[in-house]
Amino acid sequence: MRTMLEQSFFRLLSECSQRKVSVTEFTEAIEELANYLADFSTNEQDNSVLLRYLSF
């Protein structure tokens, strides 16, 4: 499983260019992040770790 910062959502946010991101590309990135968080939350026993991720 990739780390949270390797998700495409964060790559899109961190790009320095001013390129336009399509709605589809952004939606897919959000879905990928949501799936990652859902998988992580079912495997993580310590909810404080998940809360830190969400507050990040």
Side-chain angles (χ1 to χ4, degrees):
M1 182 183 294
R2 298 180 337 183
T3 66
M4 185 177 214
L5 293 177
E6 292 174 332
Q7 302 298 313
S8 60
F9 177 78
F10 292 105
R11 281 196 316 270
L12 289 174
L13 292 180
S14 68
E15 288 181 349
C16 294
S17 69
Q18 295 296 319
R19 79 173 179 93
K20 291 186 178 183
V21 177
S22 70
V23 172
T24 303
E25 184 178 9
F26 194 65
T27 301
E28 289 172 356
I30 291 173
E31 287 176 359
E32 178 186 65
L33 179 61
N35 288 332
Y36 173 83
L37 290 173
D39 289 343
F40 181 83
S41 67
T42 58
N43 295 327
E44 180 59 47
Q45 299 298 317
D46 185 2
N47 287 334
S48 66
V49 174
L50 181 60
L51 184 60
R52 278 188 297 232
Y53 274 146
L54 292 174
S55 65
F56 171 67

